[in-house]
Amino acid sequence: MAPFVTVNCAASADGKIALSNRRKVNLSNTLDLERLHILRAENDAILVGIETVLQDDPSLTIRNNSSSDNNLIRIVLDTKFRTPLNARVMNEESKTVIATGNNGFTSPKNNVEIISCGSNEVDLHLLMKKLSDMGVENLLVEGGAKVIWSFFREGLVDKFILFVSSKIIGGATTPTIAGGRGFDKESSLIQLKMEKVEEIGDGALITYTKK
Ligand SMILES: NC(=O)c1ccc[n+]([C@@H]2O[C@H](COP(=O)([O-])OP(=O)(O)OC[C@H]3O[C@@H](n4cnc5c(N)ncnc54)[C@H](OP(=O)(O)O)[C@@H]3O)[C@@H](O)[C@H]2O)c1
């Protein structure tokens, strides 16, 4: 069975997820960060796109977790295998899967597995099948904009958790929650079901599921 996919994202009040120069910005407050690490611990794997790795250099581990056995599998969508060897996501703290195109890349490290999944970009349905075969039942997608768009476009998002901070970033080209091409027809829009709205400090946490 395909993994249950949760997308988690922290956005500004105007829907942006990074600074106008695409640099990382901390939009979550302390309470939301605590929630995020609990959410990570509830999943088997965590996934981001290569641009997030290059821009933010996240380690994608569970904070205060000293045992590497308890960390999740880290997955990077990276067609051309551009993930630097010294990126934090490649460190020994956990296993890392690089989902590439069909280019015959080989793994440079023991904790890194390469899986080929398509040509132009990673075929998410093929990836879901391969992750399922690896025993991944719950997958957490943390961005960035293009990756979140792709998961929505392919109808693969089971749950969408959005933290909306009380900050404004602005900028016409600043990354927003879902990037990519977007829909140009009202009939194509994805209708979600809003399950819950919670106040978390100075922000709002909205949980959506599939309609
Ligand atoms: N606030 C938050 O919660 C949050 C979280 C994460 C990131 N961010 C921000 O998001 C920004 C990065 O987002 P981004 O949209 O530029 O890049 P991204 O979504 O991180 O990565 C996109 C790249 O992944 C690769 N990819 C391979 N297969 C794909 C597929 N099926 N669908 C989508 N991408 C695929 C492509 O590169 P190749 O063609 O080379 O494979 C693509 O260009 C950064 O500014 C970061 O700070 C914010």
Side-chain angles (χ1 to χ4, degrees), residues 80-99:
K80 300 179 274 297
F81 195 8
R82 292 185 287 142
T83 302
L85 260 183
N86 63 354
R88 288 199 184 109
V89 78
M90 301 283 262
N91 68 22
E92 315 292 330
E93 285 180 56
S94 187
K95 176 178 170 158
T96 300
V97 169
I98 308 287

Side-chain angles (χ1 to χ4, degrees), residues 8-11 16-19 22-25 27 48-53 55-56 77-80 82 99 120-124 142-148 150 153 175:
N8 185 87
C9 181
K16 316 290 185 191
I17 63 164
L19 296 173
R22 308 187 82 80
R23 287 281 157 94
K24 181 182 165 61
V25 59
L27 293 163
V48 296
I50 176 61
E51 296 300 338
T52 294
V53 169
Q55 196 63 250
D56 301 358
L77 300 191
D78 183 6
T79 320
K80 300 179 274 297
R82 292 185 287 142
N120 287 338
E121 61 172 23
V122 173
D123 177 336
L124 296 184
E142 288 201 11
K146 191 173 178 198
V147 165
I148 292 177
S150 293
R153 182 195 64 201

